[in-house]
């Protein structure tokens, strides 16, 4: 029998690159390029090419584990599930529902994220749920919602980037974090456009730029305000656009004018001539974009920082127009969808707010429960982790590894150890799973069907290509079995298409409306951009301002008749008119009540922890091309480990000379929260006042031992990107 390929998507970053999976006669699977998917057009990075290696039973979990006598031993599924349900029920009965916490992940499919949020609120009755995507783009989400009334990572497809005139890329090293996307920026320059990269390091991405601005970590807010000051001073504002499509300009302009160029140079270290050149490059073309990533977002003022960059777009008329706008480069594979459908502490499916009575009524109606039975908003991710062992005494964790990924990680590891009970469902025995009382082996990307939502807001279908090893079940099975043991017999199906059908109904009418999307459409159309409501017969106005029947001009699909064969439970009968999806948002109006974008007046403030005599340097953290997030999966791939075997400390030659450090010498980086040790990597691509560490590794080189959990007051994002440290040479033994 001939082996056939299954088209699907990569399990890693938010590009969700298309790939084919083919089972091999001798066992295992082969990953090959898929040229028909427009995001990667056949390109795959090393992580994507080697993704199938984590499917091997040799490197992943294949049987449940329970803790006996201080160590994890193999157990049956009924034994493991009974133990979890019993301990969660006992904790809830003794201490109340909020003593049980739930922590999810930005890699879970939409179906899993939806079911997990429903499980927390309907079965457990707890408000204590959040997910690691809080550490990803929550600041950008908060700023985008304030300004535009809606958060979607990119309000336009990636294919628009090569056709704009200028892109300012702030705090993203996409050449290493999502390499296939670099081609869009290469094509931008080939087409005569320009690329400005803002980063304290001269990264592989910055090497591609026409202009590299290297601000001191934590000063991106001042930089954006300084650029806006120059836009005003040089008469480059778009007054007609400001008047017709925005509100709040006078206050935002006054705040920006307090940040004159020489003042901004003192704060950021970016020379005034470079500030002026950046303004010229951004303002002279007819169209331009600003894209942010974790650099400006992972700060205790991340929401204001992103807001300042959005203000720059609004003041120059570069939002809600073709080939222009502000966008965020989401990091995790389903970082966008993961927060849209109920994993986040304050949200219900469809990106509805949990404290909105109408939203509660709608979702409760779909779930068949009393709206008053739904708990209110809970703690954000770091605050939830910090409460473990105190108010929160038991935790169910799916698809996350906070022992490595959380700020102030040694403290969080201690909080996890202090729990009365910890249950983890994961693909591999991560550092967090090693602490658990029960560990459940669950299926992964190629072994299950489900949807994800990419950084473009494109909902995609991952297809099951191979069977999981015996003894491995899906997260949906886990929630189904636990719900039944906890007294809820219905409402938690194991069929992902059935779950997606309910998600469609729950999201209907919400900001992230998936009601017009079906599995069949996703398969036939290479994904569908939300919002995509299920429409009655006739023509309606889509959110991009385009009539549904003219979507071809917007990069979507033409109208067509109802699709037969949609999943059972998928909602109302198929409409006569199919919404094409919305590749481009805000072209006629923003998603605010009056249709206008909102300037938000912001002003520069220092980071939560500035250098001083004891800790005179700044630490910033990030990723390397061969590893992903906490490394729980990529560190199990030999090729990737050969390319990036462990942590390091990147520092400037002048700093190395002051310390007396040579390349490869062990260095101790010390903050107020702890100490990490890793080899020196000396390079002139970093500022002399800054050191850099990647955060993929546990142990003594764990970068997040050092990072500061100071939280943004709006997004509750920790300040990963800047903290005060000192560096010491460790004597070789």
């Amino acid at each position: 029998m001939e082996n056939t390929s299954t088209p699907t998507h990569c399990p890693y970053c938010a590009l969700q690159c298309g790939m084919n999976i083919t089972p091999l006669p001798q066992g295992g699977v082969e990953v090959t390029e898929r040229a028909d998917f427009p995001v990667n057009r056949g390109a795959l990075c090393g992580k994507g090419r080697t993704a199938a290696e984590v499917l091997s039973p040799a490197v992943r979990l294949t049987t449940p584990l329970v803790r006996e006598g201080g160590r994890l031993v193999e157990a049956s599924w009924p034994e493991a599930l009974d133990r979890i349900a019993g301990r969660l029920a006992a904790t809830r009965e003794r201490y109340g529902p909020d003593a049980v916490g739930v922590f999810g992940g930005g890699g879970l499919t939409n179906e899993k994220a939806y079911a997990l949020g429903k499980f927390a609120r309907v079965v457990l009755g707890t408000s204590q749920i959040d997910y690691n995507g809080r550490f990803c783009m929550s600041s950008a989400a908060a700023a985008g919602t304030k300004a535009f009334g809606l958060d979607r990572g990119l309000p336009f497809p990636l294919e628009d980037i090569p056709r704009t005139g200028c892109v300012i890329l702030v705090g993203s090293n996409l050449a290493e974090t999502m390499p296939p996307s670099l081609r869009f920026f290469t094509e931008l320059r080939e087409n005569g456009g320009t690329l400005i990269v803002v980063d304290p390091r001269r990264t592989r991405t910055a090497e591609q730029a026409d202009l590299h601005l290297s601000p001191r970590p934590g000063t991106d807010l001042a930089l954006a305000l300084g650029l806006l000051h120059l836009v005003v001073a040089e008469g480059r504002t778009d007054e007609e656009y400001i008047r017709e499509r925005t509100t709040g300009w006078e206050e935002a302009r006054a705040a920006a004018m307090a940040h004159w160029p020489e003042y901004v140079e003192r704060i950021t270290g970016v020379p005034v001539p470079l500030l002026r050149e950046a303004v010229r490059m951004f303002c002279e073309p007819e169209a331009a974009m600003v894209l942010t990533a974790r650099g400006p977002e992972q700060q205790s003022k991340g929401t204001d920082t992103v807001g300042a960059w959005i203000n720059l777009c609004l003041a120059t008329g570069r939002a809600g127009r073709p080939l222009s706008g502000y966008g965020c480069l989401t990091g995790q594979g389903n970082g966008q969808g993961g927060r849209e459908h109920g994993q986040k502490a304050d949200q219900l499916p469809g990106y509805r707010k949990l404290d909105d009575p109408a939203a509660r009524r709608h979702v409760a109606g779909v779930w068949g429960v009393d709206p008053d039975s739904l708990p209110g908003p809970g703690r954000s991710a770091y605050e939830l982790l910090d409460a473990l062992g105190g108010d929160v005494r038991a935790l169910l964790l799916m698809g996350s590894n906070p022992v490595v990924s959380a700020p102030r990680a040694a403290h969080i590891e201690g909080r996890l150890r202090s729990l009365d009970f910890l249950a983890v469902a994961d693909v591999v025995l991560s550092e967090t799973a090693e602490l658990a009382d029960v560990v459940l082996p669950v299926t992964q990307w190629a072994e299950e069907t489900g949807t994800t939502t990419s950084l473009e807001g494109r909902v995609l279908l991952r297809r099951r290509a191979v069977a999981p090893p015996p003894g491995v079940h899906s997260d949906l099975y886990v929630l189904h079995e636990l719900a039944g043991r906890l007294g809820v017999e219905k409402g938690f199906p194991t069929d992902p298409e059935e779950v997606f059908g309910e998600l469609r109904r729950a999201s209907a009418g919400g900001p992230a409306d998936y009601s017009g999307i079906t599995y069949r459409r996703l398969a036939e159309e290479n994904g569908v951009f939300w919002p995509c409501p299920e429409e009655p017969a006739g023509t309606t106005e889509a959110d991009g301002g385009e009539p549904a029947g003219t979507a071809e001009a917007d990069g979507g699909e033409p109208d067509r008749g109802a699709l037969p064969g949609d999943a059972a439970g998928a909602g109302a009968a198929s409409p006569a008119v199919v919404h094409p999806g919305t590749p481009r948002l805000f072209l006629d109006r923003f998603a605010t009540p009056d249709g206008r974008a909102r300037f938000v007046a912001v002003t520069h403030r220092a980071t939560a922890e500035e250098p001083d005599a004891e800790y005179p340097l700044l630490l910033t953290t990030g990723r390397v091309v061969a590893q992903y997030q906490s490394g729980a999966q990529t560190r199990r791939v030999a090729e990737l480990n050969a390319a990036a075997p462990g942590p390091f400390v990147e520092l400037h030659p002048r700093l190395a000379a002051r310390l007396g450090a040579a390349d490869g010498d062990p260095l101790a980086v010390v903050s107020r929260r702890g100490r990490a040790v890793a080899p020196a990597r000396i390079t002139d691509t970093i500022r002399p006042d800054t050191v850099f560490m990647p955060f993929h590794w546990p142990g003594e080189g764990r970068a997040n031992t050092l990072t500061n959990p100071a939280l943004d007051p709006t997004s509750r994002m920790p300040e990963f990107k800047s903290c005060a440290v000192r560096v010491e040479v460790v004597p070789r033994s």
Side-chain angles (χ1 to χ4, degrees):
M1 180 176 174
E2 185 179 350
N3 292 318
T4 58
S5 294
T6 301
T8 189
H9 295 273
C10 180
Y12 292 118
C13 82
L15 287 181
Q16 289 296 280
C17 291
M19 57 172 56
N20 291 309
I21 301 294
T22 307
L24 299 174
Q26 66 271 28
V29 302
E30 179 183 35
V31 172
T32 55
E33 296 82 359
R34 184 177 150 204
D36 69 318
F37 188 59
V39 170
N40 61 309
R41 289 180 265 167
L44 291 173
C45 73
K47 296 185 289 290
R49 283 190 300 99
T50 60
E53 293 196 25
V54 187
L55 298 171
S56 168
V59 300
R60 49 94 63 88
L61 292 164
T62 58
T63 187
L65 305 172
V66 299
R67 191 166 296 280
E68 297 287 357
R71 64 190 186 93
L72 291 171
V73 299
E74 293 186 359
S76 69
W77 272 93
E79 179 185 358
L81 290 165
D82 286 347
R83 187 173 297 197
I84 295 172
R87 293 298 298 272
L88 296 183
T91 301
R92 186 178 56 179
E93 183 175 349
R94 181 173 181 183
Y95 299 105
D98 277 356
V100 179
V102 176
F103 199 83
L108 300 180
T109 62
N110 290 319
E111 292 81 359
K112 295 177 186 179
Y114 171 83
L116 188 62
K118 180 181 178 182
F119 178 85
R121 295 176 175 109
V122 172
V123 178
L124 298 176
T126 182
S127 67
Q128 301 302 298
I129 175 172
D130 211 81
Y131 82 128
N132 64 13
R134 176 78 67 171
F135 301 156
C136 179
M137 56 175 291
S138 58
S139 293
T145 301
K146 281 184 178 182
F148 307 129
L150 181 69
D151 156 49
R152 194 180 86 184
L154 293 181
F156 42 74
L158 285 163
E159 66 189 35
D160 283 1
I161 290 172
R163 299 189 292 150
T164 192
C166 177
V167 174
I168 302 180
L169 186 61
V170 189
S172 172
N173 183 15
L174 53 81
E176 299 202 49
T177 59
M178 44 182 67
S181 69
L182 189 61
R183 67 172 55 193
F184 294 102
F185 299 88
T186 301
E187 291 170 7
L188 164 73
R189 299 181 69 211
E190 290 172 350
N191 291 341
T194 55
L195 174 63
I196 302 170
V197 171
V198 178
D199 199 303
R201 304 163 61 224
R202 193 171 73 247
T203 62
R204 294 185 189 182
T205 307
E207 293 282 1
Q208 308 299 314
D210 298 282
L211 178 64
H212 174 213
L213 306 181
S214 177
R216 183 172 174 268
T219 64
D220 308 88
L221 175 53
L223 178 63
L225 288 164
L227 296 179
L228 183 53
H229 177 110
L230 286 170
V231 164
V232 176
E234 295 177 5
R236 297 181 183 270
T237 57
D238 187 332
E239 294 297 326
E240 181 181 1
Y241 174 93
I242 291 170
R243 184 172 57 254
E244 294 183 355
R245 299 204 60 188
T246 73
T247 62
W249 170 231
E250 293 302 324
E251 295 82 358
R253 179 175 60 185
M257 296 314 288
H259 298 77
W260 60 94
E262 293 76 14
Y263 172 58
V264 169
E265 178 180 321
R266 289 199 301 272
I267 294 170
T268 65
V270 178
V272 171
L274 295 187
L275 298 176
R276 295 188 184 279
E277 178 64 5
V279 167
R280 184 195 66 77
M281 291 169 62
F282 183 69
C283 292
E284 284 188 353
E286 184 177 344
M289 301 173 178
V290 172
L291 305 177
T292 67
R294 306 301 80 74
E297 297 164 18
Q298 288 181 327
Q299 299 184 26
S300 61
K301 53 182 182 294
T303 302
D304 284 356
T305 300
V306 174
W309 288 103
I310 291 174
N311 286 349
L312 180 66
C313 290
L314 295 177
T316 53
R318 307 304 177 88
R321 282 178 168 172
L323 306 181
S324 286
Y326 163 77
C328 167
L329 299 173
T330 309
Q332 294 192 76
N334 198 31
Q336 180 71 50
R339 70 181 181 280
E340 292 170 1
H341 298 298
Q343 276 192 106
K344 208 172 174 188
D346 57 349
Q347 286 178 349
L348 288 169
Y351 227 149
R352 288 180 160 91
K353 299 297 289 183
L354 187 55
D355 56 4
D356 176 0
R360 294 168 68 89
R361 285 194 301 273
H362 174 84
V363 174
V366 174
W367 289 350
V369 299
D370 184 344
D372 292 338
S373 71
L374 299 178
R379 294 178 172 94
S380 71
Y382 180 80
E383 292 164 305
L384 173 55
L385 295 171
D386 190 41
L388 301 181
D391 294 342
V392 180
R393 308 184 72 97
L395 183 70
L396 173 63
L397 184 147
M398 287 185 162
S400 185
N401 190 18
V403 166
V404 179
S405 63
R408 199 185 173 196
H411 170 73
I412 296 305
E413 180 178 347
R415 302 319 304 156
L416 285 159
R417 291 181 183 276
S418 72
L419 282 164
D420 295 346
F421 181 76
L422 172 63
V424 173
D426 209 332
V427 171
V428 298
L429 189 65
S430 69
E431 287 73 22
T432 303
E434 290 176 352
L435 305 181
D437 298 287
V438 180
V439 182
L440 299 177
V442 291
T443 50
Q444 51 182 308
W445 61 290
E447 301 162 349
E448 60 189 12
T449 295
T451 62
T452 61
T453 306
S454 75
L455 79 171
E456 302 175 294
R458 189 196 304 250
V459 185
L460 300 164
L461 182 64
R462 285 188 191 163
R463 299 166 177 86
R464 174 175 163 138
V466 296
V472 174
H473 292 293
S474 75
D475 300 87
L476 295 179
Y477 171 86
V478 170
L479 296 174
H480 170 83
E481 291 293 319
L482 290 178
R485 284 166 167 80
L486 291 167
V488 180
E489 300 291 339
K490 296 182 179 180
F492 291 88
T494 59
D495 176 12
E497 193 167 6
E498 187 176 348
V499 177
F500 189 75
E502 184 178 301
L503 181 157
R504 291 174 61 199
R505 297 199 304 277
S507 74
D513 190 335
Y514 284 30
S515 60
I517 303 174
T518 64
Y519 272 27
R520 179 167 178 177
R521 285 195 66 183
L522 295 177
E524 291 181 350
E525 300 175 28
N526 247 338
V528 177
F529 292 85
W530 71 260
C532 183
E534 187 172 45
E535 296 181 329
T539 299
T540 63
E541 294 290 317
D543 262 29
E546 295 292 329
T550 64
E552 263 189 311
D554 198 33
E557 295 290 325
D559 289 344
R560 51 194 175 80
L563 291 170
D566 288 346
S574 296
V577 172
V578 174
H579 191 287
T582 315
R584 296 170 182 85
L585 297 169
F586 313 138
L587 293 181
D588 277 357
R589 69 187 314 275
F590 295 96
T592 55
D594 61 5
R596 292 170 173 264
R598 286 163 167 69
F599 284 97
V600 178
V602 295
T603 190
H604 171 71
R605 60 184 186 274
T607 59
E609 187 177 75
E610 289 289 303
D612 57 20
E614 187 176 3
Y615 300 97
L617 301 168
L618 286 168
L619 168 72
T620 193
T621 63
R623 288 166 47 188
V624 297
V625 67
Q627 301 289 354
Y628 179 72
Q629 302 296 74
S630 75
Q633 296 180 58
T634 51
R635 285 188 274 113
R636 288 165 167 80
V637 177
E639 178 183 327
L640 301 179
N641 278 335
F648 56 87
V649 181
E650 190 176 278
L651 70 164
H652 192 274
R654 294 211 299 267
L655 175 57
R658 290 207 308 270
L659 296 170
D663 213 55
D665 281 353
L667 297 180
V669 183
V670 184
S671 78
R672 289 178 173 86
R673 289 153 295 282
R675 181 176 188 265
V677 178
R681 183 174 294 184
I682 300 172
T683 174
D684 64 0
T685 61
I686 192 168
R687 293 173 55 96
D689 58 2
T690 301
V691 294
F692 166 83
M693 290 186 72
F695 61 81
H696 309 290
W697 289 272
E700 71 170 5
R702 179 175 59 186
N704 278 320
T705 296
L706 308 167
T707 48
N708 190 355
L711 301 180
D712 180 286
T714 302
S715 68
R716 315 309 288 168
M717 168 73 83
E719 192 151 59
F720 287 99
K721 288 302 180 189
S722 180
C723 71
V725 297
R726 65 173 181 268
V727 179
E728 304 163 347
V729 177
V730 178
R732 293 182 183 269
S733 57

